[in-house]
């Protein structure tokens, strides 16, 4: 059967969703034949994610099969791809359909990785010369799929994203193949067996965990002392705190003696301030934000949360999950408003006065690039029982975070009192809730406690009683998967200003789509273990980190340099050739690009 248009999906479930959106469809082994939506007849075929992969070193040169320090570094003249061993049957089906196509619609996931998956298959099959369009959608709902096919984009618009993704893939291969062999062979010289895997993002992530664990192991808790005043008059009583810590109890007592801070001394209220404050609901979910909260609330691993939200996406209940965006556009806000009553009914909650005007904190089309934030779709769940318990938990988080943007801001009155005793100021802060707002949806009563201050006025006289409290400095907290995701996303905060800006633009190290797999890889390589949510570095991980601690592979700044140039490739201001040549010119594979 000859058909002209071939639609290339990323996976079977995606192809099935596309087929359901057409008026007519028939399923065959590895593909569908469909018609409608402006297409007379078309084939939908699919991969299983990556159908093709980079050559192994021995595919280029049999001498590279053996791990030998004298054969490093490995730099192929041309980087080649091959069909993955376990996916040859489906590749044959896809190639056959592409060979008979006059035009191709790339319909893999709408991101850089999806672009690479499709174009590598098309190129290896010898069909990259054929006209290509791009389906770009944010959910698998029927209406959005239909709209997407009616508004296909030019394939050339996304070609530079493919080159960026391919460049990153080749560069990661170079680092992995060369440095894994280099460090493994170096370890063997010290009678340390096993493979010591190295990765451009994996290794600096491991080193972040290693440094944190070392800080905890080497931490020595120190005591400190604080001074509190308890003040009272006929209007009531309250506590105030001196904004200073003392290293020893003697220092505190000397301070008290010097300033005559003894019990029953009279003090004076020298300042009172009342200020109404407003807090808006949290931003909508990016994938990392959702993974972090799910780890904190339910103990789900990052990869587990990604798997669950991917299933919700494929069930057409939520938008595209691998997003780093926390805002939506006006069209999405419009349908959220239209379906708000359904979402609230599903959650069994109500909002008395929904805020139906778009707030730029959540709705900003100018900040929506590849994908918008993770939100519920127009498809509303009919029965909670159709979801697993874990799916219910994640879907509820997404629903609640979304509907909370329609609630009023949380408002409270904050009162600050400064009480002065012998020229020494003690500060007291209290608050009274005015409007619960979005916190009625996202918090529990135990999470919010008001501290009320009496109606003290400036120039009031109060009687004083003093209390000294001992505390101890605390070590940093172990990373959990949730806090590690945040650290990876915000890693630039500890770097120099230039690298900070780079990593801010590129959202740290790793991507929304890869951070979970990086953590899983560290587990599989036996570099880390999880104990009661805490991430601990294993002996194997410590051995590697001890060896690399002075090398650039341990430093997240390397990722900043890579991402700077990779972004230039996407913007057509840099080239893959220049990028890879820069890597190959440096013996240790670490580069500083212009």
């Amino acid at each position: 059967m000859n058909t002209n248009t071939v639609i290339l999906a990323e996976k079977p479930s995606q192809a099935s969703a596309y087929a359901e959106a057409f008026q007519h469809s028939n399923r065959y082994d590895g593909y569908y034949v469909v018609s409608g939506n402006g297409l007379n007849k078309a084939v939908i075929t699919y991969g299983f994610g990556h159908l093709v992969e980079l050559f192994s070193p021995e595919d280029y040169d049999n001498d590279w099969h053996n791990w030998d320090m004298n054969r490093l570094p490995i730099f192929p003249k041309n980087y080649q791809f091959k069909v993955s061993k376990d996916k040859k049957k489906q590749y044959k089906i896809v190639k056959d359909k592409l060979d008979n196509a006059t035009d191709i619609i790339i319909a893999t996931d709408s991101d850089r990785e999806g672009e690479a998956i499709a174009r590598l298959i098309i190129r290896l099959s010898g069909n990259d010369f054929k006209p290509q369009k791009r389906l770009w959608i944010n959910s698998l709902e029927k209406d959005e799929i239909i709209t997407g096919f009616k508004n296909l984009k030019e394939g050339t618009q996304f070609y530079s994203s493919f080159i960026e993704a391919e460049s990153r893939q080749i560069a990661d291969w170079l680092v992995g193949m060369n440095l894994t062999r280099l460090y493994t062979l170096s370890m063997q010289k010290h009678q340390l067996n096993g493979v010591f895997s190295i990765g451009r993002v994996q290794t600096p992530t491991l080193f972040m965990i290693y440094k944190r664990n070392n800080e905890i192991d080497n931490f020595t808790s120190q005591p400190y002392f604080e001074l509190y005043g308890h003040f009272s008059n006929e209007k009531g009583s309250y506590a105030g705190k001196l904004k200073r810590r003392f290293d020893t109890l003697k220092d505190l007592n000397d301070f008290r003696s010097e300033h005559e801070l003894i019990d029953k001394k009279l003090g004076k209220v020298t300042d009172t301030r009342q200020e109404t404050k407003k807090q808006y609901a949290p931003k909508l979910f990016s994938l990392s934000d959702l993974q972090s909260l799910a780890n904190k609330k339910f103990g789900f691993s990052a990869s587990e949360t990604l798997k669950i939200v991917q299933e919700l996406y494929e069930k057409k209940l939520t938008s595209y999950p691998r997003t780093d965006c926390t805002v939506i556009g006006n069209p999405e806000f419009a349908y959220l408003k239209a379906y708000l009553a359904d979402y609230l009914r599903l959650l069994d909650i109500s909002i008395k006065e929904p805020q139906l005007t778009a707030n730029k904190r959540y709705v900003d089309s100018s900040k929506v690039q590849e994908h918008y934030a993770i939100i519920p779709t127009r498809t509303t769940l009919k029965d909670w029982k159709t979801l697993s318990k874990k799916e219910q938990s994640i879907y509820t988080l997404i629903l609640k975070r979304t509907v909370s943007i329609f609630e009023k801001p949380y408002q409270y009155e904050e009162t600050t009192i400064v009480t002065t005793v012998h020229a020494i100021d003690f500060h007291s802060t209290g608050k009274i809730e005015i409007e619960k707002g979005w916190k009625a949806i996202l918090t529990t009563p135990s999470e919010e406690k008001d501290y009320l201050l009496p109606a003290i006025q400036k120039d009031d006289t109060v009687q004083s009683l003093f209390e000294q409290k001992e505390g101890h400095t605390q070590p940093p907290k172990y990373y959990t998967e949730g806090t590690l995701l945040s650290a990876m996303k915000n890693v630039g905060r500890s770097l120099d200003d230039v690298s900070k800006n780079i990593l801010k633009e590129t959202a740290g190290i790793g991507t929304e789509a890869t951070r979970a797999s990086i953590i899983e890889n560290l587990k599989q390589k036996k570099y880390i273990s999880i104990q009661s949510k805490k991430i601990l570095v294993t002996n194997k991980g410590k051995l590697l980190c001890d060896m690399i601690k002075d090398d650039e592979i341990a430093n997240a700044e390397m990722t900043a340099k890579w991402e700077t140039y990779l972004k230039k490739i996407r913007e057509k201001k840099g080239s893959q050739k220049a990028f890879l040549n820069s890597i190959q010119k440096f013996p240790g594979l670490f580069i500083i690009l212009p």
Side-chain angles (χ1 to χ4, degrees), residues 467-485:
E467 178 188 12
Q468 53 208 31
K469 291 184 180 180
E470 181 178 355
H472 290 83
T473 55
Q474 297 296 312
K477 291 184 178 179
Y478 284 98
Y479 282 124
T480 64
E481 289 200 37
T483 58
L484 180 60
L485 286 167

Side-chain angles (χ1 to χ4, degrees), residues 81 410 413 504:
F81 289 80
Y410 172 64
E413 183 179 83
K504 185 178 179 183

Side-chain angles (χ1 to χ4, degrees), residues 243-295:
K243 287 187 174 181
R244 176 178 169 181
R245 282 183 174 182
F246 299 89
D247 293 334
T248 68
L249 187 57
K250 181 180 183 303
D251 291 340
L252 187 151
N253 286 329
D254 288 347
F255 180 86
R256 285 188 63 180
S257 297
E258 180 185 349
H259 296 281
E260 299 181 36
L261 298 176
I262 58 176
D263 289 344
K264 298 188 179 179
K265 275 283 183 182
L266 291 181
K268 185 177 182 181
V269 176
T270 52
D271 191 21
T272 62
R273 291 189 302 276
Q274 283 82 37
E275 184 180 359
T276 300
K277 293 195 172 183
K278 186 185 288 187
Q279 261 181 25
Y280 285 93
K283 291 185 177 181
L284 295 166
F285 281 126
S286 68
L287 176 59
S288 287
D289 297 334
L290 178 61
Q291 288 169 316
S292 294
L293 186 59
N295 180 256

Side-chain angles (χ1 to χ4, degrees), residues 344-412:
L344 293 172
R345 195 178 306 115
L346 194 57
L347 290 168
D348 194 24
I349 59 177
S350 61
I351 297 176
K352 288 182 181 178
E353 299 176 43
Q355 309 298 293
L356 301 178
T357 302
N359 181 333
K360 267 209 150 183
R361 177 176 170 83
Y362 316 107
V363 187
D364 189 346
S365 295
S366 69
K367 292 183 178 177
V368 177
Q369 296 178 0
E370 293 172 345
H371 301 287
Y372 47 76
I374 302 173
I375 55 173
T377 62
R378 298 171 184 82
T379 302
T380 50
L381 189 67
K382 305 302 180 191
D383 186 352
W384 282 104
K385 292 178 183 176
T386 60
L387 299 182
S388 69
K389 291 293 183 185
K390 289 182 177 181
E391 287 174 335
Q392 289 179 30
S393 297
I394 295 298
Y395 189 48
T396 299
L397 284 185
I398 295 167
L399 278 175
K400 285 189 171 183
R401 179 67 70 96
T402 302
V403 301
S404 71
I405 75 172
F406 292 96
E407 254 292 8
K408 289 181 179 178
Y410 172 64
Q411 290 188 68
Y412 60 96

Side-chain angles (χ1 to χ4, degrees), residues 51-189:
L51 288 185
V52 302
E53 60 188 24
L54 277 160
F55 269 24
S56 298
E58 56 269 24
D59 293 328
Y60 296 105
D61 186 334
N62 196 51
D63 285 345
W64 283 343
H65 179 77
N66 297 318
W67 289 34
D68 185 337
M69 201 78 81
N70 295 321
R71 292 192 173 99
L72 295 179
I74 296 170
F75 289 146
K77 289 181 180 178
N78 295 297
Y79 296 93
Q80 298 181 53
F81 289 80
K82 62 182 180 181
V83 182
S84 301
K85 279 185 182 177
D86 58 342
K87 298 174 181 175
K88 289 184 177 179
K89 179 189 174 186
Q90 185 60 22
Y91 174 78
K92 190 169 182 274
I93 293 170
V94 174
K95 183 180 185 314
D96 177 64
K97 301 307 170 192
L98 292 173
D99 287 346
N100 288 293
T102 54
D103 60 286
I104 301 166
I105 297 173
I106 295 174
T108 45
D109 281 354
S110 304
D111 58 18
R112 291 191 294 272
E113 192 63 24
E115 200 69 24
I117 285 170
R119 288 184 183 273
L120 288 171
I121 294 170
I122 294 167
R123 188 172 68 190
L124 188 64
S125 73
N127 290 287
D128 53 345
F129 65 93
K130 293 180 178 177
Q132 295 165 24
K133 297 280 190 179
R134 198 18 161 137
L135 176 70
W136 197 268
I137 56 177
N138 273 290
S139 88
L140 290 177
E141 290 181 290
K142 184 176 180 179
D143 288 347
E144 181 144 354
I145 292 170
I146 292 170
T147 301
F149 275 110
K150 288 179 179 176
N151 296 278
L152 293 169
K153 299 178 183 294
E154 289 297 329
T156 52
Q157 186 179 336
F158 302 92
Y159 188 73
S160 64
S161 290
F162 158 58
I163 297 301
E164 178 199 7
E166 185 189 39
S167 302
R168 190 200 313 263
Q169 195 173 347
I170 293 170
D172 285 344
W173 184 93
L174 280 170
V175 168
M177 289 298 171
N178 283 288
L179 295 189
T180 295
R181 293 180 180 213
L182 175 66
Y183 284 105
T184 298
L185 292 169
S186 298
M187 291 289 197
Q188 287 175 3
K189 288 181 179 178

